[in-house]
Short mmCIF file of all heavy atoms in Angstrom, two decimals:
data_model
loop_
_atom_site.label_atom_id
_atom_site.label_comp_id
_atom_site.label_asym_id
_atom_site.label_seq_id
_atom_site.Cartn_x
_atom_site.Cartn_y
_atom_site.Cartn_z
N ALA O 32 75.02 99.97 94.54
CA ALA O 32 74.87 98.65 95.07
C ALA O 32 76.04 97.86 94.51
O ALA O 32 76.72 98.01 93.49
CB ALA O 32 73.48 98.00 94.68
N SER O 90 91.26 88.38 112.62
CA SER O 90 90.70 89.17 113.55
C SER O 90 89.57 88.52 114.30
O SER O 90 89.03 87.53 113.59
CB SER O 90 90.16 90.47 113.02
OG SER O 90 89.02 90.35 112.26
N LEU O 125 88.95 75.91 120.41
CA LEU O 125 88.01 75.54 119.27
C LEU O 125 88.66 74.47 118.38
O LEU O 125 87.99 73.89 117.63
CB LEU O 125 87.50 76.72 118.46
CG LEU O 125 86.46 77.76 119.21
CD1 LEU O 125 86.39 78.90 118.37
CD2 LEU O 125 85.30 77.04 119.61
N LEU O 137 104.96 83.00 120.38
CA LEU O 137 105.31 81.69 120.56
C LEU O 137 105.44 81.37 122.08
O LEU O 137 104.97 80.32 122.52
CB LEU O 137 106.58 81.27 119.76
CG LEU O 137 106.91 79.74 119.92
CD1 LEU O 137 105.72 78.84 119.38
CD2 LEU O 137 108.23 79.54 119.18
N THR O 175 112.05 94.02 105.75
CA THR O 175 111.57 94.76 107.15
C THR O 175 110.13 94.59 107.26
O THR O 175 109.58 95.34 108.02
CB THR O 175 111.95 96.08 107.02
OG1 THR O 175 111.53 96.81 105.94
CG2 THR O 175 113.36 96.40 107.12
N SER O 176 109.54 93.57 106.48
CA SER O 176 108.13 93.25 106.75
C SER O 176 107.71 93.02 108.12
O SER O 176 108.44 92.36 108.84
CB SER O 176 107.66 92.08 105.81
OG SER O 176 106.39 91.68 106.14
N GLY O 209 103.11 87.83 99.13
CA GLY O 209 102.38 89.06 98.70
C GLY O 209 101.29 88.76 97.74
O GLY O 209 100.91 87.56 97.68
N PRO O 261 96.97 85.72 85.78
CA PRO O 261 97.29 84.22 85.56
C PRO O 261 96.19 83.37 86.11
O PRO O 261 95.31 83.79 86.97
CB PRO O 261 98.47 84.05 86.39
CG PRO O 261 98.39 85.11 87.54
CD PRO O 261 97.75 86.19 86.81
N ARG O 290 91.44 87.69 96.76
CA ARG O 290 91.08 88.39 95.69
C ARG O 290 90.86 87.67 94.39
O ARG O 290 89.85 87.97 93.64
CB ARG O 290 92.12 89.53 95.56
CG ARG O 290 91.85 90.50 94.32
CD ARG O 290 93.07 91.59 94.11
NE ARG O 290 93.20 92.37 95.32
CZ ARG O 290 94.17 92.25 96.07
NH1 ARG O 290 95.19 91.40 95.99
NH2 ARG O 290 94.17 93.04 97.17
N ALA O 306 75.84 115.60 85.53
CA ALA O 306 76.99 115.66 84.57
C ALA O 306 77.32 117.18 84.42
O ALA O 306 76.39 117.96 84.30
CB ALA O 306 76.38 115.09 83.20
N ASP O 343 70.10 105.05 81.33
CA ASP O 343 69.15 105.02 82.47
C ASP O 343 68.40 103.74 82.44
O ASP O 343 67.83 103.41 83.58
CB ASP O 343 68.12 106.24 82.33
CG ASP O 343 67.26 106.23 80.97
OD1 ASP O 343 67.50 105.37 80.09
OD2 ASP O 343 66.30 107.03 81.02
N GLU O 370 90.08 109.05 85.84
CA GLU O 370 90.40 110.44 85.56
C GLU O 370 90.73 110.67 83.96
O GLU O 370 91.52 109.72 83.52
CB GLU O 370 91.52 110.87 86.33
CG GLU O 370 91.72 112.52 86.23
CD GLU O 370 92.86 112.85 87.30
OE1 GLU O 370 93.38 112.09 88.06
OE2 GLU O 370 93.17 114.20 87.30
N PRO O 414 65.94 80.05 84.79
CA PRO O 414 65.62 79.03 83.60
C PRO O 414 65.00 79.86 82.45
O PRO O 414 65.26 79.47 81.35
CB PRO O 414 64.73 77.97 84.20
CG PRO O 414 65.16 77.96 85.64
CD PRO O 414 65.49 79.39 86.05
#
Side-chain angles (χ1 to χ4, degrees):
S90 73
L125 291 172
L137 185 57
T175 57
S176 170
R290 179 182 297 108
D343 58 350
E370 192 170 0

